Amino acid sequence: MKINDVVHGFRLLKTDYVKEAASDTFEFVHVKSGARLLYLKNKDDNKVFSIAFRTPPEDDTGVAHIIEHSTLCGSRKFPLKEPFVELVKGSLNTFLNAMTYPDKTVYPVASCNDKDFHNLMNVYLDAVFYPVMLDNPEILMQEGWHYEIENEAEPLKYSGVVYNEMKGALSSPDDLLANEVMRALYPDTTYYHESGGNPAAIPELTYEQFKEFHRKYYSPANSFIYLYGDMDIESKLKFIDEEYLSHFDKVEVDSVINKQKKFSKLKRVMADYPIGEEEKTEDKTFLSYSVVTDDSDDMETLMAMAVLEEALIKNQAGALRKALMDAEIGKDVSSTYELDILQPFFSVDINGSNPQQADRFLEVLRDCLTRLVKEGVDRELLEGILNQQEFRLRESDFGSAPKGLIYNLTILRNWLYDKDPLTMLRYESVLKSLRQKLATGYYEDLIQKKLLENEFGALVVLKPSKTLALERESRLTEKLAKCKEAMSRTELQQVIEAAKKLKIRQQTPDSPEALATIPLLKISDINPKARVFPLEERNIDGIRILLSDVDTKGIIYNALYFDIGVIPQELLPYAYLFSDILGQVDTRVNSYAELSKKVVFYTGGMDVDVDIFPRVDHPEEFKAFFRINSKVFYRNLTKGVELMGEIINDSLFDDNKRLKELLTQLRADMEMAMLSSSVGVARSRLASFISRDGAFSEIGNLSLYPVIKDLTDNFADRIEAFKAKMYQVKRLLFSSKRLTIGVTMPKADFGLFEKEIKALINRLKDNKEADKATECHYDLPLISQREGLMSSSQVQYVGKGANLISLGHQMTGSLRVMEVLLKYEYFWIKIRVQGGAYGAMTGIGNNGNVIFISYRDPKLRETIDTFNGTAEFLRSFDADEREMTKYIIGTISNIDMPLTPKMIGNHSQHMYFTGMTQERRQRNRDEILATTPEDIRKLADIIDDCMKADNICVFGNERVLKDNQAVFDKLTKVMD
């Protein structure tokens, strides 16, 4: 293809090569419709397609977000209620979702199977251009909002998936703070509005406004189409042109994102967030200093500011972090550098403060930054952070997210604003320039101009209110009562009929003809063989080595696993705290700040955690390890191993000030996580009722909070005992006799690792006290419980579960198929579609744990009833061959996700510690592929027994839980 060639309606505008993405690039415009298309050609078989639209909201109704949900509720070619769900059930996708941002909506899919990839593209393109929602107001009612009422005597209520999702999202103070910051910084632009929707404003959205938003912005002329990977591009262009774009003419779309005018002085904003009625308000205020850096198209400045963020705040050696913590303004310091908008902003946030500290916060911040401009930012730290940035960029490890998807989202940071889309991928020359500028005053100049002299910013104070939640609830109740009162009897009947009609639609299954429109792979398209995870057991000086032979492109991933079984039960909470602070305290060799600088200089990162491996098929057995992870380039292996050895052998727990700081930060992080990760809190607590590994894990989760609270509230009285426990854990834990090492790298290069790791092993052999420690017995009784965890959350996370093996049943591959079936069929319809929750999840562990849990759920009893009805659903389950194939493919899709080299090593080590053999994995796969409707029906008795065990944990709103007190054996406040 040559420049200006027209290929299937697309004119080629530009070609290039991006070394950093190993891709040839092709930029097109579709002549007839005006659609833009960018293709990154490379050898990656994990292909990505995405179509994005500029969707700037003009209010807080969440219309962009609701449309994102609604487009995937049926279309011209695929006229069924939930094409998205049908794809999830029966596709080999490696990514399938849609995302709403403050100024854009993105619809990405990915798959390694070309046939599947084509099918996904087809469904998504039809969804965005020809959605059924434009002719069916019930879709807005379901996904957005509607009045929920069954008879005239009932009060009116609001419900809807997005309505309840945003009630959950805006229960978290960090989300509320981010919302207030955006409103403060961009009062005259689209960013002032909550694109996700504010629950107070969502019910103002009318069907006409909903349709008009789609008509205005979902035009090919306002679209950004992206393709990535190894594919026949001409066939893809032909399909997109003939099936979709050729049917549209180019139109003018006014979707330009306008800039906010700069402020003449710093703005000050005071706002409230809700806490529980009995919680204390002291030390619960958030302070945020935010400035608009206004440089979205300058890659060098963007990366330099990201480096400064790390150097000033995120790194433990950060001067601004240290200054703010030393000033004791709050419990923790964090930061945000928001790049996914036209005018990026930089925020420094304090958690656990008080309103009267706002001026002091600003004073300390500015004094520190002024001193840094005068004296200079630590060049060793800056260079180390640049090294780590380079490591991350070259590694391109985004976990389970396809690399091509992350490139797409990165490209949109420029492309969306009509700038060169490839700029954001080119980092080589920028890194070189930033390294050269270490010898200049460049970084200090940035601090001066962007953070000190810049009045284009805001100081936001978000303070706790005990009455806000009740006031909102009262206003809503009053508003709905007035709405109902203002309705004539005829109007009220129309509302009741509309709600009834919606329920009928939700309960009516799609016709076989509609279901048949969704393209489906065949079982024969699936590899019958289970993936083999490379693992070779070796030995170095008596130490077991688990080697995964993987091409890691010059990186060594290694993990030191120390068996935690020698830690006495009364010390276990402190072993978890030990994992939280190790690596962040002084050593005999370096201060914690110097240590932090060296870690970023020489490695791609180190982390410490407690890993728990439940034994396959044996819920009473598990292994717990204290793990230290590291990743380094070959050239830095010597230094990386040396740093790991220093952290293990030479860490000191003598600095009272530092320990208080770390414990205070841990408490603040845990309090934040209770509302931002509530589903994880509920899941962990529930697991502790049903398996010993769950009970062991819970010691380090919500159960750890009272320990941290006591330590911080009574620090002076507790510190000496705490330090003694840290040293005791250290002495017991770090023995070569209880060490297993996992390493992921090419087998041919293993000699390099063997040579370096011996010094660390030999030093561990000197720890004679640890060698003498004996295995402890842990008393972890499993007591059936029904617990409510009370908080200020506006929604619930309802969990129920049991261990099927403890109840006398066996694991089988068909349980995996049941997971998909329940999540995307029974739970999806009952809990999400009909109940209005964001969703519900199933978890079947190899140790036999069965956990059902809902997410951002307005209900409580109804969801428990749904879980209790699961067995009956399974007993009456039936499906033809096509439907059964769909569930099987969806199950295999979850198992066969592409993995990064690091993930392959981690999976191999996990299989080793849990006892999951290759033979067992193959048996599971065989059982999955052979699953029949009868096999699913046979699971009914298992699930019935699990639900009758009556283990319940609900994290939710304090008033809702108290109103349903009969459900629970006990109610627990998660915070004071």
Side-chain angles (χ1 to χ4, degrees), residues 555-677:
I555 297 170
I556 298 172
Y557 300 95
N558 67 97
L560 308 183
Y561 295 94
F562 292 94
D563 190 334
I564 213 170
V566 292
I567 304 295
Q569 185 155 352
E570 65 272 14
L571 269 185
L572 287 177
Y574 298 93
Y576 279 102
L577 290 174
F578 184 78
S579 76
D580 287 325
I581 67 177
L582 191 71
Q584 300 185 67
V585 293
D586 296 344
T587 70
R588 291 187 182 92
V589 184
N590 289 293
S591 69
Y592 76 85
E594 288 299 314
L595 177 66
S596 182
K597 285 194 286 186
K598 288 180 178 179
V599 167
V600 298
F601 195 95
Y602 292 108
T603 80
M606 289 188 182
D607 65 87
V608 181
D609 209 345
V610 174
D611 279 352
I612 299 160
F613 299 101
R615 192 76 180 165
V616 171
D617 296 331
H618 297 280
E620 72 285 357
E621 296 179 22
F622 66 91
K623 294 294 289 184
F625 293 94
F626 188 92
R627 171 183 47 78
I628 304 177
N629 261 31
S630 174
K631 54 185 178 181
V632 294
F633 286 128
Y634 281 17
R635 65 177 183 268
N636 292 327
L637 177 59
T638 303
K639 201 66 182 176
V641 171
E642 182 183 305
L643 287 167
M644 289 180 83
E646 179 183 335
I647 289 169
I648 290 168
N649 295 298
D650 299 316
S651 288
L652 301 173
F653 304 93
D654 300 329
D655 185 342
N656 289 9
K657 179 175 175 293
R658 179 60 177 162
L659 292 174
K660 183 177 182 180
E661 188 177 283
L662 288 170
L663 288 169
T664 302
Q665 289 174 22
L666 283 170
R667 178 175 175 176
D669 290 345
M670 183 169 276
E671 289 174 349
M672 183 77 78
M674 285 181 195
L675 287 176
S676 62
S677 305

Side-chain angles (χ1 to χ4, degrees), residues 20-23 40 42-44 46-48 94-95 110 226 228 393-411 425 553 898 900-901:
E20 292 86 342
S23 299
L40 269 59
N42 49 62
K43 295 180 180 179
D44 195 341
N46 195 4
K47 296 172 277 292
V48 176
T94 56
F95 189 88
Y226 170 86
Y228 166 95
L393 289 164
R394 293 195 190 286
E395 184 185 26
S396 295
D397 183 349
F398 306 108
S400 59
K403 186 190 303 184
L405 170 64
I406 304 303
Y407 289 159
N408 175 216
L409 298 177
T410 302
I411 281 166
L425 296 182
K553 296 182 170 54
T900 63

